Amino acid sequence: MQPWFAAAVLALLMCFTLTCYFFKIPDALRRRGRVGYWGSPDAEFNWCEPDYLLSDYVAEPVNTVSNLALMVPPLIFLYAHQNPKAKAKKSDDAGPRLAVSSEVEMVCYVQAVIGMGSVLFHGSLRYSMQLCDEIPMLWYALACSTIYLRRLKGISLGLLALSFASVVSLAIICTKQHSFFHEMWRGIMSCAFGACVVVLAWGSTALTKRVQEACSGKRQGMVTFIERLHNAAFLAFVAAVLCWLTDNYFCEELWSLPLDLPYPHLHTWWHLLVGTTLYLILLLFQLDDLREEEKVRVTMR
């Protein structure tokens, strides 16, 4: 797969996603559901799962629990990549605590924060908790985009991205919901996120090719593994976006499927597939860091 093709596919999908998410939210997502422990839902979106169906304390239980796919894998990744010498404390010169770069560690923690924010959002359907979901997603997208640009093009935009994310976050938090400036900054955040997703698609594909070239000839099995890793991540994310769009635009139809088929909880599949994609991106970053190593062992724990 060529980097331009991956970027083009995601650019097309982001056009539909941004339209649905910000520019023209479907009426089905504007509904006001049941009132539970956290009060009347006031978030911009009320997803297709019925509100407070199982408990008065959790607005959308299935969507809430499915966020474990975002929270748990990056923490497992960090645990699996502890430095054995540092963990055992066998010597004063044991080295760093983790056998991953600091930027990969940062991405792991930001991903876990996204999952926690999404738990709060789906558990309450309150707008303040929606921001706890949205804002970390912007930080994650900007962080990964700057990592790809630095690794592939030698362009260092970390400080600029940090400043931009800070300004946008503070502007959204400090302005009132539905006010002109609040909506303006949310629009900027949404468009920036969409642009970063396109960069991520290009960067993941280009980084995959770089790692494959480094492994070519001496570790042919690793070349095949990396190609499959990238293809799985790309297809998982495309499927995730399609699930998200279908659930948003065809909510009523999904509750009235033929043959009395049950509602498929496509927003839950969005969480599961995105969690898979982000975990595979972590593996790609780690393989890129180790591409010059003579021996790289991939194990499942």
Side-chain angles (χ1 to χ4, degrees):
M1 185 184 303
Q2 295 299 318
W4 66 264
F5 176 79
V9 171
L10 267 298
L12 178 62
L13 288 177
M14 285 303 103
C15 291
F16 292 101
T17 302
L18 290 177
T19 300
C20 179
Y21 195 81
F22 181 76
F23 294 104
K24 189 174 176 56
I25 301 174
D27 293 336
L29 300 185
R30 295 285 197 180
R31 63 188 173 84
R32 290 291 175 260
R34 288 182 54 197
V35 178
Y37 178 81
W38 306 108
S40 178
D42 65 348
E44 293 289 326
F45 314 96
N46 193 338
W47 309 105
C48 201
E49 182 181 354
D51 301 345
Y52 296 103
L53 188 63
L54 300 180
S55 169
D56 286 338
Y57 295 95
V58 182
E60 296 177 344
V62 178
N63 284 344
T64 300
V65 172
S66 63
N67 281 291
L68 291 174
L70 289 165
M71 295 170 56
V72 175
L75 301 179
I76 294 177
F77 179 89
L78 291 177
Y79 177 79
H81 288 85
Q82 293 183 87
N83 186 330
K85 293 182 180 179
K87 184 178 180 181
K89 298 181 180 179
K90 293 182 179 180
S91 66
D92 295 333
D93 189 27
R97 180 177 58 88
L98 294 171
V100 299
S101 63
S102 58
E103 60 187 16
V104 173
E105 182 181 6
M106 173 196 66
V107 169
C108 286
Y109 288 126
V110 175
Q111 181 181 335
V113 171
I114 292 174
M116 178 57 69
S118 191
V119 165
L120 296 175
F121 174 30
H122 288 287
S124 66
L125 291 179
R126 302 293 295 179
Y127 185 67
S128 57
M129 298 298 103
Q130 177 184 325
L131 296 181
C132 292
D133 180 23
E134 292 178 340
I135 292 175
M137 290 172 64
L138 174 67
W139 284 74
Y140 177 92
L142 285 168
C144 288
S145 295
T146 56
I147 291 172
Y148 281 129
L149 290 172
R150 184 188 62 78
R151 292 190 179 203
L152 293 167
K153 296 296 183 181
I155 302 173
S156 182
L157 297 176
L159 183 58
L160 180 62
L162 176 62
S163 301
F164 176 79
S166 300
V167 169
V168 172
S169 301
L170 287 174
I172 291 174
I173 292 171
C174 296
T175 52
K176 187 177 180 180
Q177 183 184 7
H178 300 312
S179 68
F180 171 79
F181 287 106
H182 186 84
E183 292 301 309
M184 180 188 75
W185 284 108
R186 280 197 73 241
I188 292 173
M189 177 182 68
S190 300
C191 292
F193 175 80
C196 286
V197 169
V198 176
V199 174
L200 263 61
W202 163 82
S204 296
T205 310
L207 202 68
T208 297
K209 289 188 172 298
R210 184 170 82 167
V211 177
Q212 286 181 306
E213 290 174 359
C215 297
S216 180
K218 52 183 178 180
R219 285 170 290 176
Q220 195 60 39
M222 186 62 69
V223 173
T224 303
F225 171 79
I226 295 167
E227 179 68 22
R228 291 176 178 174
L229 179 74
H230 172 264
N231 290 341
F234 180 79
L235 293 175
F237 190 74
V238 169
V241 174
L242 293 177
C243 285
W244 188 85
L245 289 170
T246 302
D247 197 62
N248 293 345
Y249 280 115
F250 302 102
C251 179
E252 293 183 3
E253 290 79 0
L254 291 173
W255 278 103
S256 304
L257 293 174
L259 304 177
D260 291 328
L261 293 174
Y263 168 63
H265 286 281
L266 294 183
H267 196 91
T268 290
W269 281 103
W270 153 259
H271 291 159
L272 298 177
L273 291 168
V274 167
T276 300
T277 301
L278 300 190
Y279 185 77
L280 295 179
I281 287 176
L282 290 176
L283 292 180
L284 178 59
F285 281 147
Q286 185 70 354
L287 288 170
D288 181 59
D289 287 334
L290 301 174
R291 69 184 185 280
E292 300 299 336
E293 298 288 335
E294 288 298 325
K295 293 183 180 180
V296 178
R297 183 166 56 96
V298 179
T299 60
M300 301 297 293
R301 299 190 183 187

